[in-house]
Amino acid sequence: MPSKSPVVIDLKFDQQEVAAALKGAFGDREVINLAHPASRTRDLAGIDYAVVWRPGQDLFARARNLKVVFSGGAGVDHVLTLPGLPDVPLVRFVDQTLTTRMSEWVVLQCLSHLRQVKAYDAQARRRVWKELPQPEAKELTVGIMGLGVLGQDAARKLKVMGFEVIGWSRGVKAVEGIETYDAAGLDAFLARTDMLVGLLPLTPETTGIFNGALFAKLSRKGPFGAPVFINGGRGGSQVERDIVAALEGGTLAGASLDVFEQEPLPLESPLWTHDRVIVTPHAAAASDVKALFRQVERQVADYEAGRPLEHVVDRRAGY
Ligand code: NDP
Ligand code: OXD
């Protein structure tokens, strides 16, 4: 039997987690971990598979005969923008562990704004004992931009909490219990949205989509008047100076941001300390590395047996 092609991994993850996940992963297939100094001079020309998260700029020049590229996360913008990406299937990571984590984050943010967590925290620091108005979840409509794997799961879980939920996607989409809008219905969707959740991939079409003009189209009929913006998708989709201006000018009541135009968020950003903004460090939904390797191993076996790969990215759409 010919020996199995090694897998090269270039994952900017916690390396202890990677090492632990590699124990027992990939059976007798060799794994070349580019985080190890010894692998820096290794010839990668004969490698068929790469598993990557924010890989080095020279990866595709070195591993120039790849047959499949696996993204270590759900998003693929970190790969699509790399020089020399070969014209081979690009597979993204879709897994219940990741989906569940994102829905936890989204539900947490929606509830945090509904229950005015930042305002109570500010009061507590001043030892102020004062009850604030308490609208019910059903009085607010959460509008999710991006009704894919993550958006649909978050929608279902927000419904369980009592929120009205609507969704927007590029194409027409039917999701049980949720009113949906396609690209042409954006303005109608925004006009109904009291809490806007961004779960979009970063593509040329979604770059800068969350800007002042869009915020101005959101509903102002919710119980807090001004709407809230929550983004767990990609920072490149938001215009941060517009977010700050919208918060200051009353177009937005608050925001929760996990992703930023520049990561890490620059120290001088006013978002860090804004009293109505919740900042998390691109930590809404980390990839479970063990689950990632299990999935790559299974997909490689399928590929070698001539079965179709799952979760292959549409290069033209960019996600
Ligand atoms: P999917 O590919 O399953 O869904 C993407 C959704 O966005 C689809 O509904 C798609 O529409 C919609 N969409 C894409 N482009 C447009 C557009 N131009 N106009 C309108 N709708 C559009 O992706 P996932 O749900 O798995 O993930 C979404 C994103 O979340 C990832 O790409 C990644 O960037 C981000 N992410 C962030 C994480 C974090 O920790 N912060 C963790 C994991 C992911 P349609 O259904 O019509 O195709
Ligand atoms: C992802 C992410 O795309 O963590 O999976 O951002």
Side-chain angles (χ1 to χ4, degrees):
M1 262 220 345
S3 66
K4 293 177 175 170
S5 165
V7 176
V8 63
I9 64 171
D10 191 355
L11 293 165
K12 305 301 182 313
F13 289 159
D14 178 280
Q15 287 306 312
Q16 277 185 350
E17 252 183 67
V18 172
L22 277 175
K23 288 201 181 102
F26 295 107
D28 55 357
R29 193 182 294 275
E30 189 195 355
V31 176
I32 302 165
N33 184 354
L34 294 187
H36 294 160
S39 66
R40 299 218 175 109
T41 51
R42 175 88 185 247
D43 178 11
L44 305 179
I47 309 292
D48 290 351
Y49 311 108
V51 190
V52 302
W53 180 249
R54 298 184 180 146
Q57 293 282 317
D58 62 345
L59 176 69
F60 299 126
R62 290 181 66 196
R64 52 188 175 279
N65 294 307
L66 291 172
K67 293 196 175 121
V68 185
V69 178
F70 294 92
S71 168
V76 288
D77 45 298
H78 66 110
V79 187
L80 288 172
T81 49
L82 268 197
L85 174 65
D87 188 15
V88 299
L90 169 60
V91 174
R92 66 193 200 94
F93 184 45
V94 176
D95 193 70
Q96 195 54 47
T97 51
L98 191 148
T99 305
T100 300
R101 283 176 177 155
M102 180 57 87
S103 292
E104 287 166 359
W105 185 86
V106 170
V107 172
L108 174 68
Q109 302 314 317
C110 290
L111 288 176
S112 295
H113 290 282
L114 174 71
R115 303 307 301 258
Q116 305 183 71
V117 163
K118 290 286 277 191
Y120 276 119
D121 191 43
Q123 286 192 174
R125 284 168 199 278
R126 289 182 284 118
R127 296 175 169 75
V128 173
W129 183 273
K130 183 178 159 223
E131 206 176 315
L132 299 171
Q134 219 170 93
E136 285 182 66
K138 69 177 184 200
E139 296 172 48
L140 281 101
T141 299
V142 180
I144 304 179
M145 285 177 73
L147 263 191
V149 176
L150 302 183
Q152 289 189 39
D153 193 69
R156 275 190 287 274
K157 288 169 181 166
L158 286 165
K159 291 237 9 142
V160 172
M161 293 312 304
F163 290 101
E164 278 298 316
V165 184
I166 59 176
W168 181 77
S169 54
R170 200 158 65 106
V172 180
K173 199 136 239 175
V175 182
E176 206 190 320
I178 292 154
E179 214 173 308
T180 58
Y181 295 79
D182 65 8
L186 180 60
D187 285 3
F189 162 87
L190 293 172
R192 287 188 55 196
T193 296
D194 304 311
M195 278 189 188
L196 177 65
V197 174
L199 284 174
L200 286 168
L202 184 64
T203 69
E205 282 180 32
T206 64
T207 298
I209 193 168
F210 300 119
N211 57 35
L214 180 141
F215 298 142
K217 292 179 182 168
L218 290 166
S219 157
R220 299 188 63 81
K221 297 193 202 105
F224 299 116
V228 165
F229 173 53
I230 295 167
N231 193 9
R234 280 290 180 268
S237 296
Q238 72 201 17
V239 181
E240 283 158 24
R241 64 172 183 284
D242 287 9
I243 296 174
V244 174
L247 288 162
E248 295 313 312
T251 304
L252 286 178
S256 288
L257 306 171
D258 183 59
V259 288
F260 299 90
E261 287 175 53
Q262 188 187 325
E263 295 179 5
L265 180 62
L267 295 180
E268 63 276 14
S269 170
L271 294 167
W272 279 115
T273 50
H274 198 288
D275 58 0
R276 282 173 284 131
V277 178
I278 297 172
V279 166
T280 52
H282 199 142
S287 293
D288 176 320
V289 194
K290 273 195 187 141
L292 170 68
F293 290 157
R294 267 199 306 274
Q295 197 171 113
V296 172
E297 199 174 345
R298 177 180 58 75
Q299 292 242 56
V300 165
D302 283 346
Y303 178 78
E304 291 181 345
R307 291 186 288 270
L309 290 163
E310 291 171 356
H311 316 306
V312 176
V313 168
D314 173 348
R315 293 275 193 103
R316 273 184 27 175
Y319 66 96

